[in-house]
Amino acid sequence: MNEIVDAVIHNGLIHGIRTKDVCRFNAIPYAQAPVGALRFEAPQKTAWSGVHDATQPGPVAPQLPSRLRDVMGDFNAEQSEDCLHLTVWTPAIDKKRRPVVIWLHGGAWQSGAGALDWYDGAQLAAQGDIVVVAPNYRLAALGWLSLPGASANLGLLDQEMAIAWVADNIEAFGGDPTQITVMGQSAGGACIASLLSREPRFQRAILQSASLGRGFRSASEALALGEAFLAAAGAKSLEHARALPISALLQAQQAPEVAQVLKAEGSTRSLFCLVADGTVLPHDIGERMAEAAVKVDCLAGYTLNEMAAFPGMQINEDTQALGDQVFGSPALQWAKLAAAAGRKAWSYRFDYAPTPRFGACHCIELPFVFGTLDAFADAPMLHGSDPDHARKLSAELQRSWLSFIRGDTPGWDMAPGMKVFA
């Protein structure tokens, strides 16, 4: 039977629930709801006070179905623009200062959420005696569209505010604000790299299949795409866009005129991505990645057959080369740069390939990192897995990740050495 547990932060009292060995606090606001006049604005600090009920899951950011649902499976969750929340898993509400890991989900900046069952942090928290935090951030047009009179990279600013909230409040949940690891996959990993180009409030980073090889969208490219997007949504101005129903913004993602502008860009970037806007991120952010890589200790890696997860892609020489360009080489280079600068840095590759169709595709390591194989039971990428081997592989991966999060070695030689999980 679940037990109510309380944490006290400067805003007030938060009710959570204890189940077995872990306390969970759902949907804690780390910023004001970005609605009305705050749509397309930088996140504002949360102002609630009194008592907050965090016993029930909250909504996820508005989104269309993921393009990888035929690989990972799908999920159903309430959607709302009032989504700037985070979930905390902790072994206990006490004075013990445990290492903290903050999870930034992937999804091409347009799908996913922090506290899905896929990313349940209970097992990591219990096994590692750590605190796990999973924020939502704004997705698609609401978080990553570049519009005249508005900032780009709003989703990145959301993430930065969530990390600041953790640094300021996590002691109330038994966490140590001086031992924060930020862990992200795909878009989430690329965001970590970008956050490191600013003023990071974390000490370690885990980059899983960070899509750094796609580069950053320039300010002019982003503005052209944003203007086409607004026209497709039927908006004539930023103010008009603030008043549109969210359905109009989601539908505009599939508009032919938007696809045409994206195609004319001549890149392999997704519709939404990080923008070198000159404000949140410098125009030369691509050249500054080497500086960002040496700021914190890191664990960086990729999967053997990254591109096999994406629509229209098979495992062949061309897709292997593309996967190496987008994910593999940047991961190895990141760790090498960090190690050369005296940071503790490790590289890995995930090779476990239960199906010939998907191989060791993009996202396949996720259920093993979180120990959520049951939540991924319907994922086509895992069909045919041997249950015993999968559990052992998950335990091995978790031991390595938890050791790094705690400030120790994950169990193999630092970069340029590399561990292969299979």
Side-chain angles (χ1 to χ4, degrees):
M1 187 171 180
N2 294 343
E3 172 191 355
I4 300 296
V5 289
D6 292 333
V8 180
I9 64 172
H10 66 279
N11 294 88
L13 183 70
I14 305 178
H15 294 317
I17 53 174
R18 170 177 284 282
T19 56
K20 296 183 180 179
D21 299 326
V22 175
C23 304
R24 174 171 174 156
F25 295 81
N26 298 283
I28 304 171
Y30 66 83
Q32 294 182 39
V35 299
L38 293 183
R39 184 192 268 185
F40 299 120
E41 291 292 332
Q44 304 296 309
K45 284 189 176 181
T46 183
W48 70 270
S49 61
V51 178
H52 179 74
D53 183 1
T55 61
Q56 301 297 320
V60 305
Q63 57 192 275
L64 296 176
S66 169
R67 59 180 176 166
L68 298 189
R69 63 187 182 278
D70 293 336
V71 180
M72 299 176 66
D74 212 344
F75 63 90
N76 291 310
E78 177 191 353
Q79 298 185 11
S80 172
E81 285 189 68
D82 182 5
C83 64
L84 297 187
H85 312 142
L86 51 78
T87 300
V88 178
W89 294 265
T90 181
I93 303 300
D94 56 22
K95 298 297 184 182
K96 187 173 182 179
R97 292 165 64 92
R98 298 172 177 84
V100 179
V101 62
I102 301 172
W103 166 246
L104 299 183
H105 69 84
W109 297 275
Q110 57 192 306
S111 64
L116 300 176
D117 288 346
W118 289 343
Y119 312 133
D120 189 301
Q123 191 175 129
L124 284 175
Q127 291 193 3
D129 194 28
I130 65 169
V131 179
V132 181
V133 184
N136 293 332
Y137 55 91
R138 278 174 283 183
L139 300 173
L142 296 174
W144 304 96
L145 200 62
S146 184
L147 301 173
S151 296
N153 302 302
L154 295 176
L156 192 74
L157 296 180
D158 294 344
Q159 295 168 0
E160 196 167 62
M161 183 164 282
I163 294 167
W165 187 96
V166 172
D168 293 339
N169 293 285
I170 206 63
E171 280 188 83
F173 299 87
D176 185 348
T178 69
Q179 289 195 72
I180 296 176
T181 299
V182 180
M183 174 172 74
Q185 186 262 352
S186 194
C191 286
I192 293 173
S194 297
L195 289 166
L196 285 168
S197 74
R198 291 170 54 83
E199 298 295 330
R201 294 186 68 180
F202 52 97
Q203 293 72 46
R204 288 183 279 276
I206 301 176
L207 281 69
Q208 299 173 204
S209 300
S211 51
L212 294 173
R214 296 195 191 278
F216 296 80
R217 183 162 284 134
S218 71
S220 59
E221 289 171 335
L223 193 57
L225 195 60
E227 289 174 343
F229 194 97
L230 274 194
K236 298 178 180 179
S237 66
L238 177 61
E239 288 306 313
H240 190 187
R242 287 196 173 106
L244 287 175
I246 186 59
S247 58
L249 295 174
L250 292 175
Q251 289 166 11
Q253 293 178 214
Q254 301 175 322
E257 55 267 43
V258 173
Q260 186 175 3
V261 174
L262 182 63
K263 183 178 180 180
E265 188 178 281
S267 73
T268 60
R269 290 186 287 266
S270 61
L271 177 57
F272 303 102
C273 69
L274 294 153
V275 178
D277 61 331
T279 304
V280 177
L281 296 175
H283 291 303
D284 62 345
I285 179 64
E287 288 72 43
R288 295 196 183 188
M289 283 292 94
E291 300 172 16
V294 304
K295 286 189 177 181
V296 298
D297 296 343
C298 73
L299 175 60
Y302 62 108
T303 71
L304 179 61
N305 311 119
E306 292 277 5
M307 302 308 299
F310 297 97
M313 295 285 187
Q314 303 288 332
I315 299 175
N316 56 44
E317 288 186 9
D318 290 341
T319 60
Q320 288 297 102
L322 181 58
D324 184 62
Q325 173 190 332
V326 174
F327 302 103
S329 293
L332 298 178
Q333 180 67 7
W334 187 278
K336 287 178 182 177
L337 286 170
R343 291 290 180 184
K344 296 177 181 178
W346 290 269
S347 295
Y348 75 89
R349 193 179 73 208
F350 192 85
D351 284 16
Y352 183 55
T355 73
R357 166 62 184 91
F358 296 115
C361 67
H362 195 63
C363 298
I364 198 169
E365 87 284 7
L366 295 173
F368 298 88
V369 169
F370 285 92
T372 51
L373 289 160
D374 289 345
F376 278 93
D378 295 329
M381 66 183 180
L382 292 180
H383 286 177
S385 297
D386 175 76
D388 288 338
H389 180 73
R391 283 192 292 270
K392 290 176 182 177
L393 183 57
S394 179
E396 182 185 11
L397 222 68
Q398 287 187 321
R399 281 194 300 271
S400 296
W401 264 236
L402 287 167
S403 184
F404 175 81
I405 290 165
R406 299 187 67 83
D408 300 323
T409 171
W412 62 92
D413 291 340
M414 285 195 289
M418 184 174 72
K419 168 71 173 180
V420 174
F421 293 93

